[in-house]
Amino acid sequence: MQNRWTAFALRRGTRLIISLWVLVSAAFLMIHLVPGDPVRAMLGPTAAPALVDQTRENLGLNDPLWEQYLRFLRGLFTGDLGTSITMGLPVSEVLAARLPNTLTLGLLGFVLAICLALPVGATIAVATRKGRRRGLELSFASTSVVVATIPDFLLGVALVAIFGVTLELLPVAWTGGAESYVLPVIALAAGPAAVLSRIVRVELLSTLDEDFVRTARAKRLSSRRIVLRHALPNAVTAALTLGGLMLGTLVASTVLVENVFAWPGLGSTVVGAILGRDYPLVQAIVLVYGTGVLLVNTLVDVVLALLDPRSTIGDQ
Amino acid sequence: MRLLTVLRTPMGVVASIILVLVLLTAIVAPLLWNDAAEARNTANLNSGPSAEHPLGTDVLGRDLLLRTLVATRLTVLLALGATGVALGLGILFGAAPVLLGHRAGRLAVSAVNIAVAFPGLLLALVLALILGVGELSAMWAIGIAGAPSFARLCQTLVASVAERDYIAAARLAGKSRFRILLRHVLPNIAEPLIVNATIAAGAALLAFAGLSFLGLGVQSPSYDWGRMMMEGLDRIYLNPIAALAPGVAVVIAGLAFNLMGEALARSLSTPRIPVAWGMRPRRPYPQKAEERGDGEPADHLAGPGHADSSEPAGPAAYPEAVLTLRDLRVSLPGHLGCLTPVRGISLRIAPGEAVGIVGESGSGKSLTALAAAQLVEEPLAVRAATLKFCGADLMLRPQSTRDRSRYQRLLGRSLAVVFQDPMTSFNPTMRIGAQLVEGMRFHDGVERSWAQARAVDRLGAVGIEEPERRAAMYPHEFSGGMRQRAMIAMGLMGDPQLIIADEPTTALDVTVQKQVLELLDEVRSASSVALMLISHDIAVVRQVCDRIAVMYGGRIVEELPADRLAEQAQHPYTRALIAAVPDMNTDLDEPLATIPGRPVDLSQRSAGCPFAPRCPLATQRCHEQDPALIPAGDSGGAHRVACWHPVVDAGRAALAEADRSAGEPASAEGSELS
């Protein structure tokens, strides 16, 4: 028993560390992959050669590559991520100010998506089982396809146009208050909720045909208990695998949604940083996003292992 | 061209129409309106919709409708370009195992596995920084970002093809790896690739709109829908349509590609069934309402001369049976009329009695068990003249919720069911103990600790060692035999009167089979629980049961006390089953005895005895009339058989036939289900 868990932790931990190393190295190499002179590309063709040399010196680009790499790694562990070129502030300060806003937005979006998808998917599954209520099934299928196709930023713009501009019910951009969370969180959650609820429905339908559900029926439990206690936990494992992957894309979605709502998070920062070729800042933000995605994926695996002891542990 | 079959589905037609319209606009609009879309109307900056400008104008007074239409070309081209990049790179990486051999291929696989974990937009952002901001670098960025998922798909597809014979043959013939890829692998995985590329084109279009919207894609003075949205958002208070109209265009075009991909996927993977649509069941269910209406259930089992013989057999001394089935039918209403896999079973099980039901797969024995246990689900329908369990009439629809829960409680406590496959019959996410106590806690509301103690006690009673520790384990930590024991323990939690065991040993090892059977037998004799044991193995049933019902084609063809089985079985099918069981004297050099022919096909049933096609004694009459289940000569009602030519003695079969066929009236059974 203990061994299996240790083996699982070891295997999953190794994978995480390798992925992190790839991510860090990719972030480091980014600046060196820029065709031509990255500093010239940053400052433009008209910049004085002296300034270009100075900036190159400041970024440490004149040192041997391995020395730069070591310095980069050391910086990661000491929290010294360099100085933002466009903002003139230490990158770590920028992150400290912006990251919490992005995190709150992303988490709220994820929670809302789950809270919508589970009950809706489960209800539709139970209601349309064995080909009943064809109409409901059809309207659910088409609605969820359309909602899933609308990109989050477009939904954000539409929400702004309707609730912000026309109805003037909610703020169109970040104000810091709770009401400014409503529209961006909905914009973030709608698409994932639609996709997830479809998955929940399909998974629950197939789980309801499993033998152990028949065993539960043989105990003459109420159908509510059969669905909630027996079928749903087993259906959710599959839904969660995909939901976890979607959490990764949700991280990316915050970039766009933040730009719609002028949200002072990492997403609105990174665009300016890319346009200004602020290499240290982009590196840091990419690292944060990438690490976030990797951690989420690992977390999903762990939760899956806890929920379904068969699946992750033991085999593979 | 197989891809064109997509046009036969409504979804495919809709998707095709939208897609063609989008592509037409992409081609035609820039030719017609390119200049008009650039024309500035300085008197009309940032205006809302008007007759002159249906969607309003932008910051320089240019018409937004025309600009949206003209932008179609650039948007679609860039999306297709990005898809092309993704597809090309994906094929290169995905085919690496074929191109580079195993070791380098493995490396490519793990590289792809890592890359797939990162969201595409993130990659696109990084690439936008490296390659610089602009439409071409954005195209490459989105293409590269989409490549990992294509690579993974491609790897899977290639792996499925690579082992086939013709690839091996080409390899042996010394063809180059690249040539093998082009000539032999790619054509065989083209269809799924095309389907996924179509869907990916939609995704690329949306992603591109996102990048342009951020200002990292198309740069001024060029414009695509994403860039128009960005510009529109700045002036959303002046004209919300300016931001929304290009967004709607994005959704329509994206949806067109998506739907097309979905429709292609469906039409390619699902084989077409010619008459699937609009087909109504011609005969929903063979109506016998008039027979049911008069309160005297019609007797389909017996011919006119044997009205009483459908009374379930068994010693008449049983005052109250645990389970009484009379004329139980399970049917499946469907497109092709109505199939009836169980057609008229009558059976009575007395308290403490063990009754075995034997038959081949498809004989309806498991359905009979499920129907008796009230576990048959839609679309199957159960009907019976009588279905009584412990005195409760289960065919009555419970009128109130109180009645209903009373029934459920009775069944939950007193009817134990042991299913065929212990591997799949436990909930894998719940501990064994929790699954045992659940029913009891639900019906009786007893305390958790008390129920838990009982569960441990029951697990011990069925011979599970260290029951306390075992109760805290998950099903996957149990062996098959142990799970079946736990399943029996679950049935013993309440106050069982009847255990219905549906092939309880089929999925188990031979050595474990015996133990489980012995356990069932033990449980029965210790607590005088009745047992209904379903099995295809007549030897298993004979070992445990007092009485045996042999089923064939959805009917009981013979029912007899177990001790009569070896010598006095009369139905040719029962005889054949017994003959097929090898014993110590079986000559191992000879092939084992089998019953020639195939089990009855429900959809092609004739009027006669269902066994007739395989029966060595069958005559014309057997093919035309279904025999009724009637008491066999000297048994006093305990032995019943449904046969025109019962084998009273194997050597005198022909004589018996002559006796019987003389004055036997015809059965009504034959005509009802054809």
Side-chain angles (χ1 to χ4, degrees), chain A residues 236-238 240-241 299-309 311-312:
Chain A
V236 157
T237 45
L240 211 84
T241 319
L299 195 73
V300 168
D301 279 1
V302 171
V303 171
L304 274 180
L306 290 175
L307 266 183
D308 189 354
S311 64
T312 325

Side-chain angles (χ1 to χ4, degrees), chain B residues 4 15 33 46 126 140 205 211 244 265 271 358 385 400 420 438 442 447 454 483 526 572 577 587 604 613 619:
Chain B
L4 287 179
W33 302 304
N46 284 326
V126 173
W140 277 98
L205 196 134
L211 267 195
L244 291 178
V358 187
S400 63
Q420 175 170 3
E438 190 185 23
F442 182 80
E447 261 179 62
R454 173 146 178 104
R483 279 189 230 188
L577 278 180
D587 184 354
Q604 295 174 350
T619 56

Side-chain angles (χ1 to χ4, degrees), chain B residues 598-673:
Chain B
R598 288 197 297 167
V600 60
D601 180 353
L602 281 176
S603 57
Q604 295 174 350
R605 274 268 302 282
S606 68
C609 169
F611 188 57
R614 299 168 73 184
C615 184
L617 306 177
T619 56
Q620 191 60 31
R621 181 180 197 186
C622 295
H623 288 284
E624 283 161 5
Q625 292 170 2
D626 209 1
L629 189 64
I630 53 166
D634 57 337
S635 65
H639 186 171
R640 296 185 301 162
V641 63
C643 184
W644 296 127
H645 314 297
V647 190
V648 174
D649 181 298
R652 292 200 312 238
L655 189 64
E657 179 218 339
D659 279 354
R660 235 178 113 92
S661 56
E664 207 63 49
S667 164
E669 176 76 17
S671 58
E672 117 194 29
L673 282 159

Side-chain angles (χ1 to χ4, degrees), chain A residues 29-52:
Chain A
L29 284 176
M30 220 157 68
I31 190 168
H32 299 281
L33 288 175
V34 174
D37 181 356
V39 177
R40 178 58 73 183
M42 174 168 79
L43 298 175
T46 55
L51 180 64
V52 171

Side-chain angles (χ1 to χ4, degrees), chain A residues 146-163:
Chain A
V146 172
V147 172
T149 316
I150 297 177
D152 34 40
F153 66 99
L154 173 58
L155 185 62
V157 171
L159 289 173
V160 164
I162 297 168
F163 295 99

Side-chain angles (χ1 to χ4, degrees), chain B residues 73-142:
Chain B
R73 178 184 283 184
L74 187 59
T75 310
V76 170
L77 270 183
L78 289 172
L80 292 180
T83 312
V85 171
L87 189 60
L89 287 175
I91 289 176
L92 270 187
F93 267 84
V98 173
L99 280 180
L100 304 175
H102 276 293
R103 196 165 300 166
R106 281 259 281 284
L107 206 67
V109 170
S110 37
V112 165
N113 279 344
I114 290 179
V116 143
F118 293 101
L121 186 73
L122 215 56
L123 279 170
L125 288 181
V126 173
L127 290 166
L129 178 81
I130 295 173
L131 303 175
V133 170
E135 56 193 47
L136 277 183
S137 64
M139 187 184 90
W140 277 98
I142 288 173

